[in-house]
Amino acid sequence: MKLLRYVGAKVVLCEEAWPVIGDGELLVKVFAASIDPHDVLGLDLLHDGESPPAIGVGFSGKVQQLGPSCVRSDLTEGCDVVGVLGLFEGCGGLSEHVVVPESNVVIKPDGVTFSNAAAVIPGALFAYLSLQRHAQLRPGDSLLVMDGSSSIGHVVIQLASKWGAKVATTAATMGDLLFLQSSAAKHCEIADISDTITSLPFFVEEFTGGMGFDIVMDTVAHKEVSQHGDPDSDGGIAHLLAIINTLSCGGVWVSTSDSLSLSRRHQQTMFVKSASIINTNVLSIVSSGLYTNTILHILSDVLNMLDNNTLNVSISAEVDLEKAATLLNFSNKKSSSFGATVVTFS
């Protein structure tokens, strides 16, 4: 079977034998899997170094075989499931077949497509784990989502709005702006920073009444930095300072960066604001195994929202594994796509 592995700091398409099914496990034929650039962030630090890790957290597919000692009565051969895989499972979602513990999957509703089910996973996990569990988002809190046109940002905007937050987002390009105006305008206010990020403070002043945002979510800072300057240049420094300056007193900055380095000036500004940074790596949280029940509740919740049409995902492209490897290897480059990219299998 074909799958993607992380070999020598590069995503590589591999051909391997089918995985062996064990006690309490399922063999699943994957129909769709989400592509999330954050799946490869920090892999050099996270994996044990003994074998190249498989890539992909979220997937959807059909159960082909139940292993010995499976106890869940709702799982049968041929049923449709949605699940997650951690770093130490031996398989990744970006594979033609996966072996997954029965505790890591939920039943896919008939009204939800395989592609939509896979596409919603990164944004759903990030929204629930970062905003609700870590940042403790409450109704009435103000939230700024940097680059809401991303696959994660688009889902987070809808969920945060549903939870009662006052949501705003940024558009780094004219394409981002048009996408957000057509798909997310009813859930948030949009700050157009396509010309310059220095326009952001004026938006923050008007939206928050000069108080700043309670929470700033920054999952794809590279997109806005690449638009307005290299991270190591004055443009990149201005970008980081612009984010910090949007925070309220006691505000929380949620980031997924694996190399966020604040200068002394940045640290002093954070100190004066009594602000804090939360770094969230969904892959490490899933891999820890500590939140398995929570993650299954999250998946069930968002799948029901998709089924009831109270949550929408926007898929920009469906690609094969070879194209997925190319996209992940260049995920630090500026992308012109909006919404989610999903790998589909015939």
Side-chain angles (χ1 to χ4, degrees):
M1 69 171 190
K2 294 180 180 179
L3 74 162
L4 296 186
R5 288 195 180 275
Y6 189 72
V7 183
K10 184 178 180 180
V11 178
V12 177
L13 178 61
C14 303
E15 184 89 28
E16 298 181 5
W18 281 28
V20 177
I21 189 169
D23 287 348
E25 294 182 330
L26 313 171
L27 175 65
V28 178
K29 175 177 172 56
V30 179
F31 281 22
S34 54
I35 296 183
D36 181 9
H38 302 101
D39 286 350
V40 298
L41 292 180
L43 277 182
D44 291 320
L45 300 174
L46 289 172
H47 79 92
D48 56 17
E50 295 182 3
S51 59
I55 298 172
V57 171
F59 68 91
S60 61
K62 192 177 291 289
V63 175
Q64 290 198 321
Q65 183 182 348
L66 279 69
S69 305
C70 285
V71 297
R72 283 179 53 181
S73 59
D74 59 333
L75 295 175
T76 59
E77 291 185 8
C79 70
D80 298 336
V81 294
V82 180
V84 293
L85 285 160
L87 190 59
F88 310 111
E89 305 289 355
C91 299
L94 294 173
S95 308
E96 291 180 328
H97 293 81
V98 298
V99 166
V100 56
E102 63 174 340
S103 59
N104 282 34
V105 302
V106 296
I107 298 295
K108 182 185 74 66
D110 292 338
V112 179
T113 67
F114 288 104
S115 292
N116 283 351
V120 79
I121 294 174
L125 293 182
F126 188 85
Y128 279 81
L129 295 172
S130 293
L131 297 182
Q132 285 204 340
R133 179 171 288 271
H134 294 162
Q136 298 182 356
L137 178 76
R138 297 165 297 181
D141 281 350
S142 57
L143 167 68
L144 176 63
V145 180
M146 301 298 290
D147 190 11
S149 67
S150 68
S151 58
I152 291 179
H154 188 244
V155 173
V156 169
I157 286 171
Q158 297 175 73
L159 291 176
S161 176
K162 182 182 291 289
W163 296 332
K166 296 179 291 185
V167 185
T169 189
T170 60
T173 69
M174 187 54 64
D176 293 344
L177 181 61
L178 294 175
F179 172 82
L180 289 167
Q181 286 174 339
S182 65
S183 65
K186 68 178 181 180
H187 301 290
C188 65
E189 294 289 333
I190 305 169
D192 179 7
I193 58 171
S194 56
D195 290 331
T196 172
I197 199 168
T198 57
S199 63
L200 187 57
F202 301 102
F203 175 84
V204 175
E205 175 78 22
E206 181 178 353
F207 187 89
T208 68
M211 299 296 292
F213 283 92
D214 298 310
I215 303 171
V216 175
M217 193 203 82
D218 182 27
T219 63
V220 280
H222 63 271
K223 187 171 184 180
E224 272 126 357
V225 168
S226 65
Q227 185 74 8
H228 301 293
D230 185 87
D232 298 323
S233 72
D234 290 341
I237 293 172
H239 169 84
L240 294 176
L241 193 58
I243 292 179
I244 294 172
N245 285 338
T246 65
L247 289 167
S248 66
C249 181
V252 178
W253 174 7
V254 181
S255 176
T256 58
S257 174
D258 63 338
S259 58
L260 188 62
S261 179
L262 299 184
S263 68
R264 183 173 180 80
R265 180 186 179 190
H266 297 148
Q267 294 174 27
Q268 289 174 337
T269 305
M270 292 287 289
F271 175 77
V272 169
K273 287 176 172 282
S274 294
S276 58
I277 298 177
I278 296 174
N279 189 286
T280 299
N281 186 318
V282 169
L283 174 60
S284 65
I285 293 173
V286 172
S287 301
S288 72
L290 299 175
Y291 297 95
T292 300
N293 290 334
T294 298
I295 289 170
L296 293 187
H297 283 300
I298 293 170
L299 294 182
S300 295
D301 198 14
V302 295
L303 289 171
N304 286 332
M305 291 182 198
L306 287 176
D307 197 28
N308 296 328
N309 295 316
T310 56
L311 178 68
N312 297 301
V313 292
S314 178
I315 297 177
S316 61
E318 296 185 353
V319 301
D320 59 16
L321 278 176
E322 184 175 0
K323 179 64 174 179
T326 301
L327 291 173
L328 286 169
N329 281 322
F330 290 92
S331 61
N332 63 323
K333 305 297 184 182
K334 177 71 175 67
S335 172
S336 59
S337 65
F338 317 109
T341 301
V342 175
V343 175
T344 56
F345 302 83
S346 56

